[in-house]
């Protein structure tokens, strides 16, 4: 009996983003967590490059890749290669791969990609043969390992299209009777399928998904960046919340515009997301080194800093990766929020300032996330029956469900212990030592 973890990267992202500190102040979250995974690659965990990420690990995939996975162009924007990733990941989990169906040409193509400009046909053929035998050897070792340590739980974590890949892969395993009974746990960071995509089955999840955490970026307004909340099976336990910031803010882009410009000051959402991801994954059985495990006081200090800098986050809503028709109206709403905070923050504590700011008209953040209205009925304007996806007014004086639960001592938020995800979640005693720490901002 064993637990296997898969780290799904988002569009244009791969394992090298661990060192991409220009875009992510501490490295991108998914690649960082993958680098902390204990055990052996393929045997205990797998890191899957995002579509359009530049062929970083394509040579490892014994799948029928007809796409280029180019860093630029249609592979990146249309999400080509999703199904190839599904086939690759399932082959590793099950240790079942039929290399004969790909043919010699498949290995010739992989060899050419590794050799780049080398046109020596003898060398290409030699490397192709080595790749074939390497695949066969790895498969034999995996089969022995899976026989001795059968996988009973698969933990999935991903960002952006990587988050939606978690949904797709859970269903990919469910449709096969041989993998249907594997327990699935999912941690999805702002799961965005893209306006046009190659996903086939991600909107509804089945009973194999035991627990799921979905965190959504509150201030993202870009065209084509609608996030997705899947419909869950009745037996699935869930935790859902908005987190301040834009799409990439949650995974380490701390620029004040949520993209490439401005001061690197929006670090709080990354620390919150990383802490929750580490606690959830380790609670489900993933083994990680150097887990941060923030205390209640540290998390509350981070939220206090976010509230103190709330004008930064509200102004993110007027910036987009792709211009949209709603940008101007959002910009006006964000300016109103900024003025409210500017007028009050010098004379009030952060919670009072936030309450006054929320009395101003603000953007309806529930429209950020798509969901199936057949199963999740809108109750009224700005309110739906998915706990955690309501407008901020529901959680006043706090700014999100996660913030509220942190302050009130929700045991799942603070520990990641899966038995507390939605069972008797609240502690009666709170940690009263609240000290704002400048290292978490």
């Amino acid at each position: 009996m064993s637990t296997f973890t898969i780290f799904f990267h988002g569009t244009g992202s791969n394992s090298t983003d661990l060192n991409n500190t220009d875009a992510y102040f501490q490295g991108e979250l998914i690649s960082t967590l993958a680098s902390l995974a204990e055990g052996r690659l393929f045997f205990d965990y797998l890191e899957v490059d995002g579509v359009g990420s530049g062929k970083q690990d394509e040579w490892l995939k014994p799948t029928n890749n007809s796409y280029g996975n180019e860093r630029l162009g249609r592979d990146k924007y249309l999400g080509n290669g999703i199904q190839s990733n599904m086939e690759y990941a399932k082959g590793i989990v099950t240790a079942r791969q039929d290399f004969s169906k790909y043919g010699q040409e498949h290995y010739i193509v992989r060899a050419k990609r590794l050799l780049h400009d080398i046109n020596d046909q003898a060398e290409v053929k030699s490397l192709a043969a080595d790749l074939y035998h390497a695949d066969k050897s790895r498969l034999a070792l995996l089969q022995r390992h899976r026989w001795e340590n059968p996988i009973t739980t698969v933990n999935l974590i991903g960002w952006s299209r990587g988050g939606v890949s978690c949904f797709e892969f859970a269903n990919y395993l469910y449709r096969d009777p041989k993998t249907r009974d594997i327990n699935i746990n999912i941690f999805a960071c702002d799961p965005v399928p893209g306006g046009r995509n190659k996903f086939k089955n991600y909107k509804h999840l089945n009973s194999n998904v035991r627990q799921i955490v979905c965190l959504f970026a509150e201030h993202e307004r870009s065209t084509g960046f609608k996030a997705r909340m899947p419909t869950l099976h009745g037996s699935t336990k869930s935790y859902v919340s908005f987190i301040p910031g834009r799409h990439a803010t949650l995974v380490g882009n701390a620029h004040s515009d949520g993209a490439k410009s401005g001061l690197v000051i929006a670090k709080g959402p990354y620390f919150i997301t990383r802490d929750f991801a580490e606690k959830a994954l380790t609670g489900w059985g993933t083994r990680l080194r150097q887990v941060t495990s923030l205390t209640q006081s540290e998390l509350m200090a981070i939220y206090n800093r976010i509230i103190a800098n709330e004008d930064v986050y509200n102004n993110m809503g007027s910036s987009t990766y792709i211009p949209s028709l709603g940008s101007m109206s959002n910009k006006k709403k964000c300016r109103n929020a900024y003025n409210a905070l500017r007028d009050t923050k010098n004379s009030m504590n952060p919670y009072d300032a936030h309450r006054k700011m929320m009395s101003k008209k603000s953007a309806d953040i529930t429209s950020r996330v798509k969901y199936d209205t057949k199963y999740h009925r809108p109750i009224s304007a700005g309110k739906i029956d998915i706990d955690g996806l309501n407008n901020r007014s529901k959680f006043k004086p706090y700014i999100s469900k996660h913030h509220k639960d942190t302050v009130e001592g929700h045991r799942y938020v603070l520990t990641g212990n899966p038995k507390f995800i939605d069972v008797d979640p609240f502690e009666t005693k709170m940690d009263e030592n609240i000290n704002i720490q400048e290292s978490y901002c």
Side-chain angles (χ1 to χ4, degrees), residues 66-284:
S66 59
Y67 73 103
N69 196 16
E70 299 293 343
R71 184 170 289 277
L72 298 175
R74 65 180 183 179
D75 290 325
K76 180 174 182 178
Y77 296 108
L78 299 183
N80 291 337
I82 294 295
Q83 295 309 309
S84 171
N85 283 346
M86 298 297 106
E87 182 182 351
Y88 169 55
K90 184 182 177 184
I92 297 298
V93 168
T94 61
R96 295 200 306 266
Q97 294 174 317
D98 182 7
F99 302 120
S100 62
K101 70 180 181 180
Y102 305 126
Q104 182 181 10
E105 183 60 29
H106 166 78
Y107 288 93
I108 293 292
V109 170
R110 286 169 64 186
K112 286 181 177 179
R113 287 176 176 173
L114 280 175
L115 293 173
H116 299 292
D117 297 329
I118 298 176
N119 295 317
D120 187 323
Q121 294 303 309
E123 189 166 355
V124 170
K125 288 183 179 180
S126 176
L127 180 56
D130 288 343
L131 287 172
Y132 175 76
H133 291 298
D135 283 347
K136 295 283 285 186
S137 297
R138 182 180 69 188
L139 180 61
L141 291 172
L142 273 177
Q143 287 174 339
R144 178 61 182 266
H145 182 76
R146 297 285 184 257
W147 180 76
E148 295 176 343
N149 304 278
I151 292 176
T152 54
T153 298
V154 172
N155 295 333
L156 308 173
I157 181 170
W159 165 54
S160 190
R161 277 188 174 132
V164 182
S165 293
C166 296
F167 308 157
E168 183 92 353
F169 189 67
N171 287 328
Y172 202 75
L173 293 182
Y174 184 81
R175 74 185 189 186
D176 184 347
K178 294 180 179 179
T179 55
R180 179 169 295 174
D181 293 331
I182 295 177
N183 297 325
I184 306 295
N185 300 304
I186 296 174
F187 194 102
C189 302
D190 206 36
V192 171
R196 297 180 64 184
N197 62 75
K198 301 295 183 178
F199 292 104
K200 294 182 179 179
N201 186 12
Y202 67 95
K203 297 179 181 179
H204 305 269
L205 297 179
N206 292 289
S207 58
N208 60 332
V209 179
R210 307 304 188 192
Q211 298 192 359
I212 183 171
V213 175
C214 290
L215 301 183
F216 297 99
E218 177 185 349
H219 295 94
E220 184 54 68
R221 298 293 183 271
S222 299
T223 301
F225 277 76
K226 282 270 191 179
R228 184 76 197 194
M229 178 65 207
T231 302
L232 306 179
H233 187 270
S235 64
T236 302
K237 296 181 180 181
S238 63
Y239 189 94
V240 180
S241 181
F242 280 109
I243 299 293
R246 293 187 63 195
H247 183 60
T249 310
L250 274 60
V251 294
N253 186 323
H255 289 285
S256 59
D257 70 342
K260 299 179 179 179
S261 302
L263 298 175
V264 181
I265 58 175
K267 300 177 181 179
Y270 169 81
F271 288 121
I272 291 168
T273 305
R274 176 173 176 174
D275 176 73
F276 202 1
E278 290 178 342
K279 288 173 178 174
L281 286 175
T282 54
W284 293 328

Side-chain angles (χ1 to χ4, degrees), residues 273-328:
T273 305
R274 176 173 176 174
D275 176 73
F276 202 1
E278 290 178 342
K279 288 173 178 174
L281 286 175
T282 54
W284 293 328
T286 297
R287 292 178 295 145
L288 298 174
R289 301 183 299 273
Q290 301 174 353
V291 175
T292 54
S293 192
L294 299 177
T295 66
Q296 183 185 33
S297 293
E298 289 172 327
L299 286 168
M300 292 169 69
I302 293 170
Y303 272 114
N304 285 344
R305 291 294 299 169
I306 289 174
I307 293 172
N309 291 314
E310 194 152 15
D311 54 310
V312 172
Y313 295 94
N314 283 322
N315 280 324
M316 285 182 180
S318 61
S319 300
T320 63
Y321 302 117
I322 303 172
S324 67
L325 295 177
S327 295
M328 292 305 295

